Amino acid sequence: MSAGWALLIPVAALVVFVVGAIGVLKLQKIARGPDGPGQAAASPAAAATGLQQSSQESREEFVRRHWQRPGVVANGVTLVDLYDRIRALEERVARAEQRSEPPAPPD
């Protein structure tokens, strides 16, 4: 009787492992959707929520519009801060260029 139990336990564990793995794969496939992971943003559900970047919209505008939405923009606060710093730096460079005289022509 103990030999039967010794064989039954590993076989049952193997069956549970295989069935569990198949279940996890099916759940992942359902979560990905029918289009696959790379095409999820092009689905109608993404367009309905406004998470799709339009062709006329820059990346900066998209980030500024969605910076508070978790999972949409990675570290949105930092990106918005960087965009603000870049804009300020560009303004400073433009002012400095306006104040400076044009370079003398080479001899």
Side-chain angles (χ1 to χ4, degrees), residues 65-99:
R65 188 163 47 103
H66 295 292
W67 73 273
Q68 292 180 326
R69 296 183 84 154
V72 176
V73 178
N75 207 355
V77 176
T78 303
L79 284 174
V80 170
D81 183 48
L82 285 174
Y83 285 134
D84 290 339
R85 290 180 184 200
I86 290 169
R87 182 173 289 151
L89 183 60
E90 288 172 345
E91 291 172 0
R92 285 178 55 196
V93 168
R95 283 193 308 257
E97 287 176 348
Q98 288 175 354
R99 281 185 270 166

Side-chain angles (χ1 to χ4, degrees), residues 3-88:
W5 283 107
L7 183 62
L8 181 65
I9 292 173
V11 170
L14 180 64
V15 168
V16 168
F17 180 76
V18 169
V19 170
I22 291 171
V24 168
L25 290 174
K26 286 190 182 263
L27 286 174
Q28 286 177 346
K29 190 174 184 181
I30 290 170
R32 256 188 288 180
D35 296 337
Q39 300 174 356
S43 67
T49 60
L51 297 179
Q52 194 170 9
Q53 183 176 348
S54 69
S55 59
Q56 297 86 14
E57 185 179 35
S58 70
R59 179 68 180 156
E60 178 181 356
E61 292 167 344
F62 180 80
V63 168
R64 286 186 184 278
R65 188 163 47 103
H66 295 292
W67 73 273
Q68 292 180 326
R69 296 183 84 154
V72 176
V73 178
N75 207 355
V77 176
T78 303
L79 284 174
V80 170
D81 183 48
L82 285 174
Y83 285 134
D84 290 339
R85 290 180 184 200
I86 290 169
R87 182 173 289 151

